[in-house]
Amino acid sequence: MSAKRTAATAPVLRRITAEAVLQAFVAGGELTAGDLIAATGLSRPTVHSVCDELIGLGWVRETDAASAPAASLPATSGGQPAGIGPNAGGRPSRRYSLNAAAGFVAGIDLGATKISCCLADLRGQILVEATEPWRDEHVGAPERVMTARRIMRALLDEAGLKAGTVLAAGMAVPAPVTDDGHAVALESYLPGLASLDLRAALQPDFEWPLLVDNDANLAVLAERWCGSAQGVDNVVVLLAGERLGAGICLGGRLIRGNGAAGEMRFLELVEGVGNTDAVGGMCRELGAIAAAEILAGDRPETPVGSVLVELCGHRPEDVTAEMVVEAARRGEPAAVEVVAVVMERTARAAAVVSTLLDPELLVLAGGPAGSGDVLLPVFEQKLSQLNSARPRLAASTLGEHSALVGAVRMALDHALERLLA
């Protein structure tokens, strides 16, 4: 290899090793050199060298190891605290931690029925966040992005941060996203969104690099990072809020195709399903019908004894998916029936996806928050009645935050790459 080629390669290798160390810090807290070696596979001299470089850049701090009590250090197989013993000369191992406040990232979930925004530190810890419902489910794209800008300005003020400290932003949208930053969205569903270059959606207020992806793709990223799919390489996250979408990870890699992998429009051809309506939207709509029938006396439950009617304040139009789930949790027959119908349809959709992709794990995310105890048993029962692949099932531990957390992770990865560029 020529000297010129070696010189060109060395900075690239240096950046790769530094990024590996930074990613280890994002995943953990205070780490010793041994911890970093185990996490990255790098040699001890390389780990110390990279940490010294990152300390100089302000992204990593060295903990005062001498002041750390021996009992707090990880024990070795011989029972002694790590870094202390005959091979260490009695000196504790150097300890490092990420300077999480050296920069920040933003996350935005530009959802179908609401918008959620947040600011997070370099470890991905959300510092401030805000959620607002859209004034109308078909509100135009310009108003959506203006709302995102307004909320981000308010969050910066709340956190006491300057815009220049934000290194990158991630945005989740409920539609496929092309490489040039445009959403493949129906005009009837998300008016005006397809014509926007979403990568510039925060301008002119903020000049942050803005990365945009489909909400289901970001949901699977989040679940593998800190949710129900940690350590699982073959997983499908079924995003089940308003419309069904699948985030697919196979062999540890996110499957995007040309941007539309995981889209569920094919459900229009599936018997017993017919469209992409998802758990949240269907529970709300069928729950409202059930509440109206109870009030009209068309069901055996009386208005006085109906949990569902009580929860919606005798106003069927105010029924939410969360109310339906809570009523089912309390044994309301009408709500139990709604959940059974909704999960039977969802199981049919999941059966097709599972048979095609054969994932180890299928995570139900989005939809009514904190509903896993009610929905998952019914989901598993309905899926077991179908002749299909049977992956392990789990409910998201991130609730309605899956796409938002995935947007934070996407922005964080980009920020760490930029720090080392």
Side-chain angles (χ1 to χ4, degrees):
M1 182 180 291
S2 69
K4 182 177 180 180
R5 187 174 180 183
T6 302
T9 304
V12 175
L13 295 176
R14 192 69 171 173
R15 187 171 68 184
I16 292 172
T17 57
E19 184 177 352
V21 170
L22 278 174
Q23 293 287 4
F25 281 121
V26 170
E30 186 179 71
L31 302 175
T32 65
D35 296 330
L36 291 168
I37 291 168
T40 64
L42 300 173
S43 68
R44 185 174 297 273
T46 299
V47 162
H48 284 307
S49 176
V50 169
C51 285
D52 287 339
E53 184 177 345
L54 293 174
I55 289 170
L57 293 172
W59 308 120
V60 168
R61 293 170 174 164
E62 183 171 3
T63 304
D64 184 2
S67 65
S72 69
L73 300 176
T76 65
S77 58
Q80 293 177 312
I84 299 179
N87 294 329
R91 294 184 58 192
S93 176
R94 294 175 67 183
R95 305 176 69 81
Y96 306 97
S97 64
L98 183 69
N99 180 12
F104 304 91
V105 296
I108 302 168
D109 180 8
L110 208 68
T113 61
K114 63 182 182 300
I115 178 173
S116 297
C117 302
C118 70
L119 290 169
D121 63 21
L122 289 185
R123 192 170 282 121
Q125 181 70 38
I126 292 178
L127 306 176
V128 290
E129 64 177 297
T131 297
E132 289 186 14
W134 300 118
R135 61 174 179 80
D136 180 270
E137 63 177 321
H138 298 300
V139 66
E143 182 175 337
R144 291 176 188 260
V145 298
M146 288 296 291
T147 301
R149 294 178 202 161
R150 173 177 56 78
I151 294 177
M152 290 312 310
R153 287 195 298 269
L155 289 180
L156 286 168
D157 289 341
E158 181 182 346
L161 299 176
K162 294 182 179 180
T165 62
V166 176
L167 304 175
M171 177 182 285
V173 295
V177 179
T178 61
D179 290 339
D180 62 357
H182 287 78
V184 183
L186 296 175
E187 191 68 16
S188 58
Y189 176 44
L190 296 168
L193 199 66
S195 63
L196 292 181
D197 182 350
L198 290 171
R199 297 169 302 181
L202 298 180
Q203 298 174 5
D205 298 295
F206 308 108
E207 295 297 328
W208 307 328
L210 178 60
L211 297 91
V212 187
D213 205 345
N214 171 259
D215 52 3
N217 288 343
L218 295 180
V220 76
L221 186 67
E223 295 293 342
R224 294 190 70 232
W225 176 32
C226 57
S228 298
Q230 295 179 63
V232 182
D233 285 342
N234 296 292
V235 57
V236 171
V237 172
L238 199 62
L239 209 55
E242 292 298 310
R243 294 175 183 245
L244 286 171
I248 305 166
C249 180
L250 298 178
R253 299 186 64 180
L254 177 66
I255 305 301
R256 299 187 77 257
N258 289 322
E263 285 299 295
M264 309 286 275
R265 290 287 299 278
F266 66 86
L267 292 177
E268 296 172 2
L269 307 176
V270 177
E271 183 179 355
V273 183
N275 55 42
T276 59
D277 290 350
V279 173
M282 287 191 62
C283 279
R284 183 182 65 251
E285 292 175 10
L286 296 181
I289 294 172
E293 290 176 349
I294 293 170
L295 285 169
D298 295 335
R299 283 180 175 265
E301 298 93 345
T302 64
V304 175
S306 169
V307 175
L308 185 57
V309 168
E310 176 190 342
L311 289 172
C312 71
H314 290 67
R315 290 171 53 87
E317 64 271 22
D318 290 342
V319 168
T320 66
E322 286 76 14
M323 290 177 186
V324 174
V325 170
E326 178 58 28
R329 185 179 285 117
R330 298 190 200 178
E332 165 85 80
V336 170
E337 181 183 328
V338 168
V339 167
V341 170
V342 171
M343 297 318 296
E344 197 274 336
R345 291 181 80 260
T346 307
R348 286 182 175 273
V352 175
V353 172
S354 298
T355 300
L356 180 65
L357 301 176
D358 191 27
E360 173 189 346
L361 175 68
L362 191 148
V363 178
L364 190 66
S371 59
D373 63 315
V374 176
L375 300 183
L376 211 60
V378 184
F379 188 32
E380 190 151 19
Q381 176 194 15
K382 299 298 183 182
L383 192 58
S384 69
Q385 296 170 355
L386 300 172
N387 183 21
S388 70
R390 289 288 308 281
R392 180 164 55 91
L393 302 180
S396 170
T397 57
L398 300 174
E400 294 184 308
H401 280 73
S402 291
L404 183 66
V405 172
V408 167
R409 181 69 213 210
M410 179 170 62
L412 187 59
D413 287 341
H414 183 78
L416 295 181
E417 290 176 7
R418 288 189 69 210
L419 294 179
L420 303 168

